[in-house]
Amino acid sequence: MSAFVAVLARDLRLGLRHGADLAMVVIFFVLAALLFPFGVGPEANLLARIAAGVVWVTALLAAMLSLDRLFHADYEDGSLDQLALSPAPLAVIVLAKATAHWLTTGLPLIAVAPALGLMLRLDPAGFAPLLLAMLVGTPCLSLFGAIGAALTLGARRGGALVALVVLPLVLPVLIFGVGAVEAEVTGLGAQPHLLVLGALLAAALPLAPLAAALALRQALESA
Amino acid sequence: MHRFANPARFLRIITAILPWSAGASAALLPLGLYFALIGSPPDYQQGDSVRIMYVHVPAAWMALAVYSVMAASGAVALVWRHPVAELVAQAAAPIGAVFTAMCLITGSLWGQPMWGTWWVWDARLTSVLVLLFLYLGYIALVNAFDDPTRGARAGAVLALVGLVNLPIIKFSVDWWNTLHQPASVARLGGPSIDPQMLLPLFTMAGGFAAFFVTVLILRVRAELLRRKLRVLRLAQAQG
Amino acid sequence: MAKTDLDRGRHKLNQRSDPRQSFDSGSFAGAGLACVRGDRLLFRGLGFVVKPGDALVLTGPNGSGKSSLLRLMAGLLAPAAGHLTWAGRPVEANREAQRGRVRWLGHLDAVKPTLTVRETLALHGRLHGAGADPAAALDDALGALGIGALADTPGRQLSAGQRRRVALARLLVAPAPLWLLDEPTVGLDDAGFAAFGAVAAAHRAAGGAIVAATHSDLGLGDARRLTLADFAPSAAELEAAA
C-alpha cells in the first residue's frame, strides 16, 4: 500500500512538473474533436448526431498519444529497474502508475469534454451520461494502455505501435461509452451501458496490471 | 545447450507430419472445391452465389481457430518458457491473418449480390474485421524488436490478452449492431443450413486446416533453421 | 566546499557505522549458471559464493556478460540454467524477500531531470521501507557521498559525476546486505572515488557484501575476482549446440 502511494505521488509530481506534456494531450483532444465540424459541416442536427462518437473517438486517440509517458522514460533512464527491484509486487507499481496516468490524462479529458459537447451541439440529456461513461471508461483506457505501453518498451517504432496494439482491445469501451449517451438521448436509459462499462473496469482493474507487470518483466529481461 | 536440444526433436516430429498434412490438403482442397462449385445444388433463394459460403465460412472458422492456436502456444511459451512454442505462435499469425482477410473479402463479394453493397456493418463481419486488427497488431508487435525473442514473448502476452478480450469484443459488437441495425437483414451462413451443404463445407474446412498445418510446419522449420544459422555464425565469429 | 562536506559525511558514517547496519545475512551463491541473450550463449557453468563482508569483482572483455550476470543476480533476468541461493535457500522461493536484500546500481543512474536529489532518494527509501528516521538516513547518505549541498537541486542541473553520486547514495538510504554495482565509479572525480571507497568499506565492515562489474580498479582492496572469460563457451561448443 505504501509503495502504491509512493509511486502514485512520484508520478503525479513528475506529471505536474511536465505540465506542458499534459496540456498537449488535452489540446490535441480539443483540436481533433473540433476538426469534425470542418470535415462534415457545421449543421446542428448532424453534429448532434455524431457528437458523442466524436468525443469518445478523439479521447481514445488522445489517450493513445499519452501512453509512451507511462513507462518509457523510466525504462530509458534506469528508474524502471529500481522500481522492479523494490519489494512491492510489480503489479501494484503498475496500478499506481496507471492511476497516475488516469489522473493526469483521463481527468483533464473529462474536464474539457462538456465544452466539446456544447460546441458539437450534443443533446442536453447526453451530458450526464457522457461524463459518467467517461468517468468509468477512461480508467479502462489507462489500464489497457499500460499493457500496450509495457509490451512495446524497447520497440523500434513506439508511437503508432502502441495504438495498433491497444485500440482493438478498447473497442468495447468505445461502443458502450457512445452507447450510453445515445441510449439516454433516445429515452432508453444509459444504465445498462454504464453497468457494462463498470463490469469492464472491474475486470481490468486486477487483470490488466498483472498482464502489464508480466510484459514489464520481459522488457527488463532484454534491457 | 539444453534449450536447443529440444527443437531438434521437434524438427524431426514436424518433418514426419509434413507429408501427411501436405497430402491431406492436396486431396481435400480440390475435392472440397468440386463439391462446392459443381457437386452441390444452388440455393433456392441465393442461387449460385451461395457457393461463396464454402470458402467464407471455413475461412472464418480458421481465423478463430488459428488465433486460439496462437494464444495457446503463447501460453505454453510463457509458462514453460519453451522457445518452440514462441516460434509456433509467431509462425501461425500471418497464416491466420490471411484466412481472416479471405473471410472479409469473400464476405464482401457475397454481400454485393445479396445486399447490393460491398460492405455491410454486419455483426459477424465486423467482429472478423476487429480480429484482423488483432492479428495485425500482433504481427507488428512481434516484428518491432531487434531482439527476436523479446518480440516473440511480448507477442505471447498480447495473444493471451486478445483471447480474453475476444468474447467481450464479440459481445460488444453484437450489442452495437442490434442498436444500429434493423434485424431484418439476412445473416451470412445463418443457422438453417441444408444437410446437402454440409459435405462441401466440412471438406473445405478440413482442407483449410490441413493447409494451415502444412504452411505452419514449413514456416516453423524455416525459422528454426534460420536461428541455427545465426547461432553458427556467432560461433564462427567468436571462434 | 565539496571536500568539507565529504569529510563531515565520512565522519558521520564512521560514528554510526556499528549500530546502523549489522546484517544477519547468509551467503549468496550461484551454481551452474548459464545466460542466453538473444540467440547467444554468454557463459555457462558459472558458480560463485559471496559471504558477508566479501567483495567480488566481475571482470571480462566487453560482451562477456558482466552486466547480464549482475542482472541475473538481481533477479531482473532469469538464468537459462543453474540456480541462485541465499543462505542455502533458492531465491525463487521468496522473490520479494530477495528484492529486499539487494540494492542495485545499474549503468544508468535513474535520476529524473525534474525531481530534486532529495525527492529521488526519498522515493527509494519509501519503496524499500527505510528505517526509523528516513530523513536522517537520507541526510547521512547525502553527506557520505559529498552531495549534501545538492539536496534540493533538480536532476537536470547535475553533472554526470554528481548524478553517479546520487545513484550511489541510493545504496545508503535503505540499507541492505547485498550491493550489486555495475561500473560504480564511472564519471566520478577523485573525491567521489574516495567517497565510494569509504562507503564500500563501511558496508563491508558492517557485514554487507558487494558484487561489482568493472573494467577499472575500484579500490576495494582485498576483493576477489571472477573472470567471465573463464566461463565463455568455446566455438566448438556453440557449434555443437546449434
Side-chain angles (χ1 to χ4, degrees):
Chain A
M1 193 59 210
S2 72
F4 178 87
V5 176
V7 175
L8 178 64
R10 164 194 185 263
D11 271 31
L12 284 179
R13 187 178 280 161
L14 277 172
L16 294 179
R17 286 193 190 161
H18 292 275
D21 295 3
L22 300 184
M24 214 165 64
V25 171
V26 176
I27 293 170
F28 170 84
F29 175 51
V30 174
L31 173 66
L34 294 185
L35 285 180
F36 279 82
F38 293 99
V40 301
E43 201 241 314
N45 284 334
L46 178 61
L47 286 181
R49 175 80 189 76
I50 62 170
V54 167
V55 170
W56 261 108
V57 169
T58 45
L60 235 61
L61 296 180
M64 295 304 111
L65 211 62
S66 65
L67 281 177
D68 68 321
R69 228 181 36 228
L70 202 46
F71 301 117
H72 193 256
D74 286 340
Y75 176 75
E76 297 272 279
D77 70 11
S79 303
L80 202 56
D81 283 341
Q82 295 292 350
L83 289 174
L85 286 172
S86 80
L90 193 50
V92 170
I93 291 171
V94 169
L95 188 61
K97 290 182 79 71
T99 308
H101 177 263
W102 179 72
L103 289 172
T104 52
T105 327
L107 268 189
L109 294 188
I110 296 172
V112 297
L116 286 180
L118 278 176
M119 295 177 76
L120 295 173
R121 306 299 193 92
L122 179 65
D123 189 296
F127 280 85
L130 176 69
L131 294 186
L132 274 176
M134 283 184 84
L135 215 49
V136 187
T138 47
C140 294
L141 301 185
S142 293
L143 287 165
F144 277 103
I147 302 178
L151 284 174
T152 53
L153 276 182
R156 267 179 269 114
R157 32 176 197 273
L161 184 62
V162 178
L164 188 53
V165 163
V166 177
L167 282 177
L169 297 176
V170 295
L171 188 67
V173 178
L174 172 65
I175 289 175
F176 289 102
V178 178
V181 180
E182 294 194 343
E184 186 70 29
V185 169
T186 52
L188 292 170
Q191 202 188 13
H193 294 85
L194 294 174
L195 287 178
V196 176
L197 278 178
L200 280 176
L201 179 59
L205 214 47
L207 293 180
L210 288 176
L214 186 61
L216 280 185
R217 291 242 174 257
Q218 294 176 345
L220 293 176
E221 285 229 324
S222 51
Chain B
M1 208 168 66
H2 76 292
R3 301 188 89 189
F4 279 84
N6 226 337
R9 209 180 70 208
F10 187 76
L11 199 60
R12 275 203 304 282
I13 296 173
I14 59 174
T15 309
I17 298 174
L18 186 60
W20 296 98
S21 63
S25 43
L28 286 174
L29 284 176
L31 192 67
L33 278 179
Y34 169 79
F35 285 143
L37 298 180
I38 300 157
S40 64
D43 188 78
Y44 76 99
Q45 239 180 348
Q46 303 177 31
D48 278 333
S49 65
V50 74
R51 301 186 192 281
I52 297 176
M53 182 189 74
Y54 301 124
V55 176
H56 174 79
V57 172
W61 289 345
M62 289 308 292
L64 262 182
V66 174
Y67 199 88
S68 315
V69 168
M70 236 170 72
S73 18
V76 171
L78 286 178
V79 175
W80 288 287
R81 294 191 151 251
H82 204 300
V84 171
E86 285 167 7
L87 269 183
V88 171
Q90 220 177 325
I95 316 174
V98 168
F99 277 123
T100 315
M102 215 159 95
C103 173
L104 286 173
I105 293 168
T106 51
S108 163
L109 290 177
W110 199 4
Q112 170 58 24
M114 268 179 76
W115 303 315
T117 168
W118 295 106
W119 182 260
V120 168
W121 290 92
D122 162 80
R124 288 183 196 213
L125 269 182
T126 309
S127 298
V128 175
L129 181 66
V130 181
L131 185 60
L132 179 67
F133 283 115
L134 286 177
Y135 271 116
L136 294 180
Y138 174 92
I139 294 170
L141 181 67
V142 164
N143 293 308
F145 297 93
D146 294 322
D147 172 6
T149 44
R150 162 96 176 98
R153 284 190 194 150
V157 176
L158 181 62
L160 270 182
V161 173
L163 191 71
V164 172
N165 236 289
L166 216 48
I168 304 172
I169 293 173
K170 178 89 181 84
F171 164 72
S172 59
V173 169
D174 285 349
W175 179 299
W176 167 81
N177 194 248
T178 49
L179 271 188
H180 290 275
Q181 216 161 38
S184 62
V185 174
R187 289 284 167 92
L188 296 189
S192 55
I193 291 183
D194 191 89
Q196 271 183 302
M197 295 174 164
L198 288 179
L199 181 65
L201 202 56
F202 286 131
T203 317
M204 284 301 283
F208 275 16
F211 179 78
F212 164 66
V213 171
T214 309
V215 179
L216 182 68
I217 288 176
L218 288 175
R219 284 179 57 85
V220 168
R221 202 166 65 167
E223 185 56 36
L224 277 173
L225 293 177
R226 202 175 306 152
R227 285 202 178 183
K228 193 165 161 175
L229 197 65
R230 270 203 301 264
V231 174
L232 280 176
R233 276 215 193 100
L234 272 169
Q236 272 176 350
Q238 281 180 347
Chain C
M1 180 199 123
K3 188 95 186 173
T4 53
D5 203 19
L6 189 66
D7 288 339
R8 221 179 320 126
R10 200 177 294 159
H11 176 63
K12 243 185 208 163
L13 199 71
N14 289 338
Q15 263 185 341
R16 305 176 66 254
S17 67
D18 34 17
R20 182 176 62 157
Q21 323 173 316
S22 61
F23 302 113
D24 51 344
S25 56
S27 61
F28 179 52
L33 294 170
C35 177
V36 179
R37 302 312 305 268
D39 291 324
R40 206 161 138 236
L41 178 63
L42 291 178
F43 53 77
R44 82 282 179 266
L46 188 146
F48 66 88
V49 181
V50 184
K51 293 200 178 68
D54 269 0
L56 180 66
V57 172
L58 312 178
T59 59
N62 292 333
S64 59
K66 296 186 296 295
S67 296
S68 294
L69 178 57
L70 275 179
R71 293 184 79 79
L72 207 143
M73 288 176 173
L76 288 170
L77 182 61
H83 50 88
L84 294 162
T85 56
W86 185 276
R89 253 172 262 128
V91 297
E92 307 90 64
N94 192 345
R95 283 255 169 235
E96 290 187 13
Q98 180 64 14
R99 292 205 291 270
R101 294 179 197 119
V102 174
R103 289 298 170 271
W104 170 257
L105 174 78
H107 66 280
L108 296 166
D109 296 319
V111 173
K112 289 279 169 200
T114 47
L115 291 184
T116 67
V117 170
R118 191 184 297 281
E119 286 166 343
T120 302
L121 296 178
L123 169 84
H124 189 75
R126 282 178 74 188
L127 280 177
H128 285 280
D133 191 354
L138 206 155
D139 283 334
D140 288 355
L142 289 174
L145 270 308
I147 44 175
L150 299 174
D152 297 311
T153 311
R156 80 179 101 81
Q157 290 175 13
L158 300 176
S159 73
Q162 287 169 332
R163 277 203 302 274
R164 202 62 182 155
R165 291 193 195 200
V166 175
L168 282 165
R170 198 180 269 126
L171 298 167
L172 305 175
V173 170
L178 178 63
W179 289 1
L180 301 175
L181 316 175
D182 197 350
E183 292 287 1
T185 57
V186 156
L188 291 182
D189 56 11
D190 289 347
F193 190 84
F196 167 71
V199 296
H203 175 65
R204 291 175 64 192
I210 296 175
V211 180
T214 187
H215 287 289
S216 50
D217 182 31
L218 295 179
L220 286 174
D222 55 335
R224 286 183 296 124
R225 281 175 173 275
L226 183 77
T227 310
L228 268 94
D230 296 347
F231 303 96
S234 66
E237 263 179 279
L238 285 176
E239 274 183 48

